[in-house]
Amino acid sequence: MKHTLSTIAVALTAIVGITAVVKTTASPSEPISVIKPAVITEPEKVELGKMLYFEPRLSISGFISCNSCHNLSLGGVDALPTSIGHEWQQGPINSPTVLNADFMLAQFWDGRAKDLKEQAAGPIANPMEMGYTHELAVDTVASMPAYVARFKDVYGTDEVNIDRITDAIATFEKTLVTPNSPFDQYLEGDKKAISEDAKAGYALFKDRGCVSCHNGPAVGGTMYMKMGLVKPFHTDNPSVGRKAVTGRDSDKFVFKVPTLRNIELTYPYFHDGSVWTMEEAVNTMSDIQLGRLFNEQETAQVVEFMKTLTGEQPQIVLPILPPSNANTPRPVPFK
Amino acid sequence: MKHTLSTIAVALTAIVGITAVVKTTASPSEPISVIKPAVITEPEKVELGKMLYFEPRLSISGFISCNSCHNLSLGGVDALPTSIGHEWQQGPINSPTVLNADFMLAQFWDGRAKDLKEQAAGPIANPMEMGYTHELAVDTVASMPAYVARFKDVYGTDEVNIDRITDAIATFEKTLVTPNSPFDQYLEGDKKAISEDAKAGYALFKDRGCVSCHNGPAVGGTMYMKMGLVKPFHTDNPSVGRKAVTGRDSDKFVFKVPTLRNIELTYPYFHDGSVWTMEEAVNTMSDIQLGRLFNEQETAQVVEFMKTLTGEQPQIVLPILPPSNANTPRPVPFK
């Protein structure tokens, strides 16, 4: 588990170069810990990362940015079953939220990227997503003096490379946390912050075992688990999960447990994006993962609890991006 | 000409219901007038309009918003020759900037929409752009209680209709002005605000006749003019311009004169988006519209002047959009 103990966060603040330290408060008696606002120690790097996060010229078309599929107006997702990529290609899997993503033990549904920096490099060069190359992405950014000046300010030299681009993006993404949800207020002692139904839902969430996977600050993201533990999950989606990373048959259909933070915003649900309502998601999970269905009232209560996990969304001032010039590679939106 | 006299703006402020009155200062001796910051009198309507401007669920795919092709990080354009629409269809014409668009005598390159409100209705229902219907757009917005509450606050009743949706979007767009450009500072008396080359460029801009079309607060947008007045403009783009609106043969290849405000940001240029540098655009214009080429130094000076037209870009806090629910029409990103 990452970041679950406030002592870790406190220790990290002492290390030079750590930019956005996210503190959490773990209550010894609760399996879910409170998310604290991000503490930004390198605002220039965060600002550069924000620019790159909204930069459509990191795609070959000049049209797709990180924010296209991890839209910060929409809970950090695209709210589609699977994403739209270059030339309107249909992505293979549901776009996970970028919000609180740094709490995950690894990135992507199958955990194939160890952290946000490694993740950020993937879509840029994926022919089904942004369709660019790292070399051209670097050339594009390096062609604009306003970007180069920022790289020099942040990294000490004016070199633009994919390592710095993804480091800056990841540093921005680490600030995308959603503190002060009603449930966090409840955990911190405000017993009126959530309804009686939500409290009953939380009790069910713990008693029935949801919490054995959905725990930690992000209410998920601390482990991998088989989708279809008790009964098989029926889907047309061909993803095999962790098996694609480890090669092990035992990892077939094993996925990273998704966060339930802001779950009301991050529909449709599951790695195949097949389910649009929290009620159906709760029912399916209780059936195939726990082997015991909730009744209608219980489902409503668990959903009520899950709605209390919506936190304060990051306030983002849209970055103004520098203009291309004669040295900037031109986008190729159409063949 | 709209908004060119400060007296008009002052008179308008007295009228109840006018939300964002943009004031300009006309210097009697100059053909270009200063743009003033927008005065926002109905902030709730502007905020609602901003939400709808960033709302991808106004498209059938759930992926394309107004901001997709009029990106406020990129000078209010997509910086592509022609836009990417639903299912990656190639648009027919270069996306004009939304910045200072309310200064235009009409909207679209051919002026087929009389104002921003009428314009906003077009792309939503255009099968090549957002691909939705007005009815489904209304159903989508009306399905979300948080939107309905805002419509009630702004319009007095909770009815959501396309008239109100486009009114709100247009009201937001009216705030998207770019004051305090170096050239405006120069016009207002700060003679050091622009370089000597820029002053020489402005003199050429006036002397050679550029200003006969590119005038007013937006340095354009006050009239229609034939593209290829002296020599024909060679393009593969099939657009016929005003003829499509009026039916008159004499209006063939007649387009609205585009604004030169923020021209450094709004490449590629011309209605076909065929030209990527200001130098080439200036040369082509002098050749086919004025019949007299600038020499290399003159071109550089005119470009230097045009760069002084980049104003302060609107500071936009990204809106947080309400979640869809069981009543919200589901997007259809793929067939």
Side-chain angles (χ1 to χ4, degrees):
Chain A
M1 281 193 278
K2 284 172 70 182
H3 300 314
T4 46
L5 297 172
S6 57
T7 48
I8 295 178
V10 170
L12 283 174
T13 55
I15 302 171
V16 174
I18 296 291
T19 292
V21 177
V22 178
K23 292 185 189 175
T24 66
T25 308
S27 168
S29 61
E30 297 295 348
I32 297 171
S33 41
V34 169
I35 288 181
K36 297 286 188 182
V39 178
I40 295 171
T41 60
E42 291 185 278
E44 295 82 6
K45 192 190 277 190
V46 170
E47 185 63 25
L48 174 60
K50 184 175 78 170
M51 293 171 74
L52 295 167
Y53 188 87
F54 281 90
E55 182 52 87
R57 290 168 294 185
L58 293 181
S59 67
I60 187 170
S61 64
F63 189 65
I64 299 179
S65 70
C66 303
N67 194 62
S68 298
C69 299
H70 303 283
N71 189 333
L72 295 172
S73 289
L74 292 174
V77 299
D78 53 13
L80 299 175
T82 64
S83 293
I84 293 169
H86 180 58
E87 293 179 331
W88 215 266
Q89 291 175 88
Q90 184 166 2
I93 205 158
N94 183 255
S95 174
T97 181
V98 68
L99 299 178
N100 309 302
D102 194 42
F103 291 112
M104 308 289 106
L105 82 166
Q107 300 300 319
F108 296 115
W109 279 95
D110 59 11
R112 67 183 181 276
K114 71 173 187 295
D115 55 22
L116 288 168
K117 179 168 175 289
E118 191 172 311
Q119 190 281 330
I124 294 171
N126 187 328
M128 293 190 68
E129 299 185 41
M130 298 164 87
Y132 220 24
T133 66
H134 289 169
E135 190 180 6
L136 279 166
V138 168
D139 289 349
T140 298
V141 174
S143 72
M144 292 176 253
Y147 267 128
V148 172
R150 286 178 183 267
F151 275 79
K152 186 165 186 184
D153 278 353
V154 169
Y155 294 104
T157 68
D158 59 9
E159 186 184 344
V160 177
N161 57 43
I162 194 67
D163 188 73
R164 289 178 172 184
I165 288 173
T166 54
D167 177 65
I169 292 172
T171 302
F172 168 63
E173 290 176 337
K174 287 176 188 173
T175 70
L176 302 176
V177 299
T178 60
N180 295 323
S181 70
F183 187 72
D184 282 343
Q185 294 171 35
Y186 170 74
L187 281 184
E188 296 209 290
D190 179 359
K191 296 305 170 196
K192 291 181 178 166
I194 69 174
S195 69
E196 292 306 312
D197 273 342
K199 289 174 197 169
Y202 180 46
L204 285 163
F205 190 81
K206 289 193 285 190
D207 294 347
R208 296 289 176 87
C210 310
V211 81
S212 61
C213 294
H214 290 286
N215 54 43
V219 201
T222 62
M223 67 180 75
Y224 301 101
M225 186 51 59
K226 185 171 182 181
M227 181 68 168
L229 195 61
V230 176
K231 294 182 188 176
F233 177 63
H234 298 293
T235 179
D236 294 333
N237 189 293
S239 301
V240 295
R242 283 294 287 169
K243 185 187 172 183
V245 179
T246 66
R248 289 195 297 261
D249 272 344
S250 59
D251 279 338
K252 194 172 181 184
F253 306 137
V254 171
F255 294 91
K256 188 179 65 182
V257 176
T259 176
L260 296 186
R261 291 274 179 190
N262 308 294
I263 191 71
E264 188 180 7
L265 310 180
T266 61
Y267 55 87
Y269 304 115
F270 304 153
H271 69 274
D272 65 350
S274 61
V275 167
W276 287 82
T277 67
M278 283 188 280
E279 287 77 6
E280 186 180 342
V282 167
N283 279 332
T284 300
M285 284 281 101
S286 65
D287 188 28
I288 70 172
Q289 301 299 103
L290 302 171
R292 180 180 170 190
L293 284 168
F294 291 114
N295 66 33
E296 201 172 321
Q297 185 193 14
E298 291 168 339
T299 298
Q301 289 171 332
V302 173
V303 167
E304 203 60 27
F305 155 65
M306 294 202 306
K307 286 182 180 174
T308 71
L309 296 170
T310 302
E312 288 175 6
Q313 302 296 295
Q315 276 241 333
I316 304 293
V317 177
L318 203 64
I320 303 301
L321 303 175
S324 295
N325 56 53
N327 297 320
T328 310
R330 289 186 192 160
V332 184
F334 305 104
K335 275 178 188 138
Chain B
M1 279 194 278
K2 285 171 70 180
H3 299 315
T4 48
L5 297 173
S6 57
T7 48
I8 295 178
V10 169
L12 283 174
T13 54
I15 302 170
V16 174
I18 296 291
T19 293
V21 177
V22 178
K23 292 185 189 174
T24 66
T25 308
S27 168
S29 60
E30 298 293 348
I32 297 171
S33 42
V34 170
I35 289 180
K36 297 286 188 184
V39 177
I40 295 171
T41 59
E42 293 184 277
E44 295 82 6
K45 192 191 277 190
V46 171
E47 185 63 26
L48 174 59
K50 183 175 80 170
M51 293 170 74
L52 295 166
Y53 188 87
F54 282 89
E55 182 53 88
R57 290 167 295 185
L58 293 182
S59 67
I60 187 171
S61 64
F63 189 64
I64 298 179
S65 69
C66 304
N67 194 63
S68 298
C69 299
H70 304 281
N71 189 333
L72 294 172
S73 290
L74 292 174
V77 299
D78 54 13
L80 300 174
T82 63
S83 293
I84 293 167
H86 180 59
E87 295 181 330
W88 214 266
Q89 289 175 91
Q90 184 166 3
I93 205 158
N94 182 255
S95 174
T97 182
V98 68
L99 299 178
N100 309 302
D102 194 42
F103 292 113
M104 309 288 105
L105 81 166
Q107 300 301 319
F108 294 115
W109 278 95
D110 59 10
R112 68 183 182 275
K114 72 173 187 294
D115 56 20
L116 287 168
K117 179 168 176 288
E118 192 173 309
Q119 189 281 331
I124 294 171
N126 187 327
M128 292 190 68
E129 299 185 40
M130 296 164 87
Y132 220 21
T133 67
H134 289 169
E135 190 181 6
L136 279 165
V138 168
D139 289 350
T140 298
V141 174
S143 72
M144 293 177 253
Y147 266 126
V148 172
R150 286 178 183 268
F151 275 78
K152 186 164 187 187
D153 279 354
V154 169
Y155 294 104
T157 68
D158 60 9
E159 186 185 345
V160 177
N161 58 42
I162 194 67
D163 188 72
R164 289 177 172 185
I165 287 174
T166 54
D167 177 65
I169 292 172
T171 303
F172 168 63
E173 291 176 337
K174 286 176 190 175
T175 70
L176 301 176
V177 299
T178 60
N180 295 323
S181 70
F183 187 71
D184 282 343
Q185 294 171 37
Y186 170 74
L187 281 184
E188 295 210 292
D190 179 359
K191 295 306 171 197
K192 291 182 178 166
I194 68 173
S195 68
E196 292 306 312
D197 274 342
K199 289 174 198 169
Y202 179 46
L204 284 163
F205 190 81
K206 290 193 285 192
D207 295 345
R208 296 290 176 85
C210 309
V211 82
S212 61
C213 293
H214 290 285
N215 54 43
V219 201
T222 61
M223 67 180 75
Y224 301 102
M225 186 52 58
K226 185 170 182 183
M227 180 68 169
L229 195 61
V230 177
K231 294 182 189 175
F233 177 63
H234 298 292
T235 179
D236 294 333
N237 190 293
S239 303
V240 295
R242 284 292 289 167
K243 185 186 172 183
V245 179
T246 66
R248 289 195 296 262
D249 271 343
S250 60
D251 279 338
K252 194 171 180 185
F253 305 137
V254 170
F255 294 91
K256 188 179 64 181
V257 176
T259 176
L260 297 186
R261 291 273 179 190
N262 308 294
I263 192 71
E264 188 181 7
L265 309 180
T266 61
Y267 55 86
Y269 304 115
F270 304 153
H271 69 273
D272 64 350
S274 61
V275 167
W276 286 82
T277 67
M278 284 189 279
E279 287 78 6
E280 186 180 343
V282 167
N283 279 332
T284 300
M285 285 282 98
S286 64
D287 188 28
I288 69 172
Q289 300 299 103
L290 302 172
R292 179 179 171 193
L293 283 168
F294 291 113
N295 66 33
E296 202 171 321
Q297 186 193 14
E298 290 167 340
T299 298
Q301 288 171 334
V302 174
V303 167
E304 203 59 27
F305 155 65
M306 295 202 304
K307 286 183 180 174
T308 70
L309 295 169
T310 303
E312 287 175 7
Q313 303 296 296
Q315 276 241 334
I316 305 293
V317 176
L318 204 65
I320 303 302
L321 303 175
S324 296
N325 55 53
N327 297 321
T328 310
R330 289 185 192 162
V332 185
F334 305 103
K335 276 178 187 139

